[in-house]
Amino acid sequence: DGRTVHVIERDLSEPDRIVGELLQPGGYLRLIELGLEDCVEEIDAQRVFGYALYKDGKNTKLSYPLKKYKVDVSGRSFHNGRFIQRMREKASSLS
């Protein structure tokens, strides 16, 4: 869009908290559109294909409807701090 953006960070160290993230498949598709899909690589991200529900000794699985997408589209689960660092690396590589 021709916009100039300045990113200001108070601290560039990796966040040191026990926080996980679950990026839904739609979020991963958005990363692809933005050219940022490599930000979930090399951070031990796990592919997620749906949910498992447990209640009163019963369980069921709910899968994401992914059949119309290419093979690597799925959700991703990862450590928040590692993802933040990858996004920072990507931002700092841009002019």
Side-chain angles (χ1 to χ4, degrees), residues 16-84:
D16 187 24
R17 299 183 310 254
I18 300 174
V19 177
E21 293 289 341
L22 176 59
L23 183 69
Q24 301 292 339
Y28 183 70
L29 285 168
R30 183 63 62 177
L31 286 180
I32 292 171
E33 288 175 18
L34 295 170
L36 299 172
E37 67 272 20
D38 59 333
C39 289
V40 294
E41 296 174 3
E42 300 177 15
I43 62 169
D44 297 323
Q46 302 297 309
R47 295 180 72 197
V48 178
F49 299 97
Y51 294 93
L53 304 174
Y54 299 89
K55 183 176 180 182
D56 299 329
K58 298 177 186 174
N59 65 73
T60 190
K61 295 178 184 175
L62 299 171
S63 299
Y64 292 131
L66 301 173
K67 291 180 183 171
K68 67 180 182 177
Y69 300 105
K70 59 185 180 176
V71 171
D72 67 334
V73 173
S74 64
R76 297 293 196 283
S77 176
F78 46 79
H79 183 274
N80 175 274
R82 293 179 192 144
F83 180 67
I84 295 296

